[in-house]
Amino acid sequence: MSGVGPVSQDWEPVVLRKKAPTAAAKKDEKAVNAARRSGAEIDTQKKYNAGTNKAASSSTSLNTKRLDEDTENLTHEKVPTELKKAIMQARMDKKLTQSQLAQAINEKPQVIQEYESGKAIPNQQIIGKLERALGTKLRGKK
């Protein structure tokens, strides 16, 4: 190789692992000014309500109108009156307190209180435990 002539490199520099600029970096004021200086085309847009919270507090939007017109009843199911009376009557017949009955079915006394007051959401497993502990049929009377 020594007699061939001068050796010259014709390579382009390669940068490895350099990340592309993020969207925020592209919008950065320095980047925009640099693009202006280099003569690149810059597109600017004025955004409607940019930086304000007018949309949240102004006139009635479509969603709030839809909510106002909605008449669907959004309450959860509660214990029917017949069931709570049947639980109370069966417990009294067995001469059990609420806490004794709760202990018999491995639940908290609050669960029995909620069922007897009608505030609980009916759970078929708990009703089944109550039926076995009280020896009566509580379901299927409808």
Side-chain angles (χ1 to χ4, degrees):
M1 282 200 100
S2 60
V4 177
V7 178
S8 65
Q9 293 184 347
D10 200 20
W11 297 340
E12 291 291 320
V14 176
V15 179
L16 299 177
R17 291 191 210 120
K18 183 170 183 177
K19 295 179 182 175
T22 61
K26 289 179 187 175
K27 294 177 187 174
D28 189 22
E29 191 174 345
K30 290 178 186 176
V32 172
N33 287 338
R36 283 187 182 138
R37 274 187 240 107
S38 68
E41 186 176 325
I42 298 172
D43 183 29
T44 57
Q45 295 177 346
K46 173 73 175 143
K47 295 200 175 182
Y48 179 72
N49 275 351
T52 64
N53 201 11
K54 284 184 186 173
S57 63
S58 66
S59 66
T60 306
S61 69
L62 183 65
N63 287 338
T64 54
K65 185 178 178 186
R66 191 179 307 144
L67 282 173
D68 288 341
E69 292 172 354
D70 191 11
T71 58
E72 185 179 351
N73 190 6
L74 300 175
T75 57
H76 58 76
E77 187 182 351
K78 293 190 175 184
V79 176
T81 311
E82 306 87 43
L83 179 61
K84 64 182 187 180
K85 285 182 181 176
I87 293 171
M88 262 190 266
Q89 189 61 47
R91 181 177 60 80
M92 296 293 194
D93 291 345
K94 285 239 177 186
K95 295 183 172 66
L96 293 172
T97 64
Q98 287 181 343
S99 55
Q100 288 171 337
L101 177 58
Q103 194 172 15
I105 65 168
N106 290 327
E107 293 290 340
K108 294 180 181 176
Q110 182 183 353
V111 172
I112 304 300
Q113 289 172 1
E114 288 175 354
Y115 269 85
E116 288 188 359
S117 65
K119 294 179 183 175
I121 300 171
N123 183 339
Q124 295 303 315
Q125 286 183 318
I126 294 175
I127 295 171
K129 288 181 186 180
L130 287 168
E131 286 177 338
R132 284 192 297 277
L134 297 170
T136 59
K137 186 142 176 87
L138 301 171
R139 294 180 280 193
K141 292 185 177 181
K142 291 183 182 175

